[in-house]
Amino acid sequence: MKIKVPFFLSKWFHFEFWPFWIFYFPVYGYGIYLAIKARSFAYFTAANPSMKFGGAFGMDKIKMIDFINKEYTPKGFLSINGENGEAIYLKMIQHKFDFPIVCKPNVGERGIGVEKIDCQQDLNLFLQTKNEDILVQEFIDYPIELGVFYHRFPISSEDGISSVVKKEFLKITGNGKSRFSELVHENVRAKNRITYLRKKYKSKWNQIIPSGITYKLEPIGNHNRGTKFLDGNYLINKRLVKVFRKIAQPLDGYYYGRFDLKVNSIEDLYNGNKIKIIELNGVNSEPAHIYDPDYSIFKAYKEVVKHMKLVFDISQENRKLGIKPDPFRKVLSGLFTHLFTSKTKA
C-alpha cells in the first residue's frame, strides 16, 4: 500500500520547493570568495551597468522592455500609481489593445502581484489592492513560454546561452467523477494556492469536470504560482544564440540575464519570429531549468556556481573598461528601501 506523504513534509525532499535562502545557503561562501577576489562586495552591479544594481533588485521593468525592439515585445505602458480603471482602459485604446491584459508591479520579483485581467470589473478590483506603479501589457496567448539565459562579454564579445527553461502551467484535467475542488487538491503544485483558486473558480468549485476537459488554473508562468519548470537545454544551438545575439544587440550596458518570453512554436523561435519578451531580468536571474523535478541537487549547485562565475567574469571585464561597481553601502541602503517599501505597499 502506497503511503501518501503530506505536502508540507514531502516538499523538503524536493529542492524546487525550498525557500530561496535555504537553497542558496551552501553557495553563500563562494559568493563571499568572489567578492573578496573582486575587492568589492557589490562587484555584481558592474555586470549590467544599464540596470539599477545590475538588476539584482528594484529594477524598472518598463525601462528595460523599452530598450528592446518593439517587434519582440507586447504592447504595453506604465500606469502611474493612483490611475483608475477608466484611465487605464483609455490608454489601452490609445495603444491599440484590449482585454485580456497582464498587470504587474513595475518594480517587483518572482511573479509577486502579477495577474491576468479579463475585464474592466476585474481591473477595478485589482487596482483596489495596489499602491504602486503598474506595468500593463496585452496578454500574449502563444502556447510556449520559455526563459532563455543569454550572456555576452564586453571585451572579448564571446556570447552564449547557458540555460533554457520550459514552463508547464498549472492545470487540471477532468475524469468525469471528481469535482473541480478535488482535482485541485490532488495537484501538489496547487497546494499553496488553494485559497486563491477557490475564490477565482468559485462558480466551478463543486462541479464534476467531464473526462478529458482541461483547465489552465494559472496563466502566469511563475514557479510560486504552480508552474512546473522543465529543463529545455536541449533547445540550445547556434541558431538560438544567433537569434538572441540580434535581440540583445541594441541593449547597451546589458550583458547577463534571462529573457522570459512566449513564442508560437519552436521553429518560430529558431527563426526569430513571433517571439514576445514579457520580461527581462538581470543578475538576479536564475538558470531556472535546475528546478526540473528530475534535476539532481548536485547538478543544480554546479549550474548555480557556473552562473555566479559568469557574473564575476563579466563584471571584471566591465571594470577594465572603467565601469565601477556601486558602493556596497548604497546597495545595502537600496535593498533595505526595496524590501520595506514593498512590505508597506503590500
Side-chain angles (χ1 to χ4, degrees):
M1 180 179 178
K2 189 175 179 180
I3 300 175
K4 192 172 182 180
V5 181
F7 176 67
F8 75 90
L9 289 177
S10 67
K11 70 178 182 179
W12 294 105
F13 296 96
H14 303 276
F15 69 88
E16 63 166 313
F17 296 115
W18 293 358
F20 179 87
W21 68 271
I22 291 180
F23 172 71
Y24 277 91
F25 185 79
V27 296
Y28 289 162
Y30 183 61
I32 293 172
Y33 163 75
L34 291 177
I36 293 172
K37 188 176 179 181
R39 298 182 181 180
S40 168
F41 277 94
Y43 70 88
F44 53 86
T45 61
N48 292 319
S50 65
M51 303 177 78
K52 185 177 181 180
F53 303 129
F57 58 87
M59 187 173 59
D60 188 323
K61 293 178 181 177
I62 189 71
K63 178 181 176 182
M64 295 312 302
I65 289 292
D66 282 346
F67 282 139
I68 301 172
N69 189 311
K70 299 303 178 189
E71 173 188 354
Y72 301 111
T73 61
K75 295 175 183 177
F77 57 86
L78 184 67
S79 172
I80 303 302
N81 181 28
E83 282 190 317
N84 60 29
E86 290 183 4
I88 290 175
Y89 187 64
L90 286 175
K91 284 188 176 181
M92 289 166 56
I93 294 174
Q94 292 169 6
H95 286 79
K96 299 180 180 179
F97 66 95
D98 207 334
F99 293 105
I101 59 175
V102 173
C103 293
K104 64 182 77 173
N106 189 46
V107 178
E109 290 91 30
R110 305 184 79 82
I112 297 172
V114 183
E115 292 292 344
K116 176 177 177 257
I117 309 292
D118 293 311
C119 62
Q120 184 74 52
Q121 183 180 1
D122 290 347
L123 176 61
N124 294 336
L125 291 173
F126 172 82
L127 292 173
Q128 290 176 12
T129 65
K130 301 301 170 186
N131 184 29
E132 57 197 317
D133 294 347
I134 299 296
L135 176 57
V136 180
Q137 294 176 319
E138 63 174 331
F139 178 72
I140 303 298
D141 198 24
Y142 288 163
I144 300 170
E145 183 162 340
L146 304 171
V148 177
F149 212 120
Y150 174 81
H151 68 273
R152 58 185 177 179
F153 284 86
I155 296 177
S156 66
S157 297
E158 292 181 9
D159 67 349
I161 292 172
S162 54
S163 168
V164 174
V165 61
K166 292 184 68 178
K167 300 183 180 183
E168 184 179 287
F169 293 96
L170 180 64
K171 59 187 177 183
I172 57 170
T173 300
N175 55 21
K177 300 176 182 179
S178 301
R179 297 180 188 277
F180 190 100
S181 58
E182 293 170 332
L183 294 170
V184 171
H185 278 88
E186 288 171 3
N187 190 315
V188 66
R189 295 182 182 278
K191 294 294 185 182
N192 292 328
R193 307 284 293 164
I194 298 296
T195 302
Y196 170 85
L197 293 171
R198 183 189 292 117
K199 181 178 179 181
K200 183 175 181 178
Y201 296 100
K202 184 178 179 181
S203 63
K204 297 183 177 70
W205 199 246
N206 293 312
Q207 292 180 6
I208 293 176
I209 307 304
S211 180
I213 299 298
T214 297
Y215 285 92
K216 184 190 289 186
L217 300 180
E218 280 281 9
I220 307 300
N222 294 96
H223 195 265
N224 62 7
R225 309 286 289 256
T227 301
K228 182 189 288 187
F229 284 5
L230 300 173
D231 183 358
N233 281 357
Y234 64 90
L235 295 171
I236 300 173
N237 57 30
K238 290 181 180 179
R239 291 177 68 189
L240 191 61
V241 173
K242 185 178 179 180
V243 168
F244 280 87
R245 185 180 295 141
K246 178 183 176 182
I247 290 173
Q249 193 274 330
L251 303 180
D252 187 37
Y254 182 84
Y255 298 97
Y256 173 97
R258 192 183 68 237
F259 292 80
D260 291 334
L261 59 94
K262 289 188 174 184
V263 66
N264 195 53
S265 70
I266 297 302
E267 191 57 31
D268 281 332
L269 178 70
Y270 288 145
N271 289 327
N273 297 328
K274 296 183 179 179
I275 294 172
K276 293 297 180 181
I277 297 165
I278 52 182
E279 201 161 300
L280 179 58
N281 303 282
V283 296
N284 66 342
S285 306
E286 294 181 275
H289 74 278
I290 66 174
Y291 295 117
D292 186 306
D294 294 329
Y295 218 76
S296 77
I297 192 169
F298 301 106
K299 285 175 64 179
Y301 281 129
K302 185 178 179 180
E303 286 293 313
V304 169
V305 167
K306 181 178 82 173
H307 284 77
M308 291 173 71
K309 183 64 163 52
L310 268 176
V311 172
F312 174 83
D313 290 341
I314 292 170
S315 299
Q316 291 301 91
E317 281 205 7
N318 270 327
R319 292 177 76 176
K320 290 178 182 177
L321 295 173
I323 295 169
K324 296 181 179 180
D326 291 322
F328 189 53
R329 240 185 275 179
K330 181 181 178 181
V331 175
L332 284 179
S333 175
L335 179 61
F336 181 88
T337 301
H338 174 69
L339 291 175
F340 286 92
T341 299
S342 297
K343 287 183 180 180
T344 301
K345 287 178 178 178

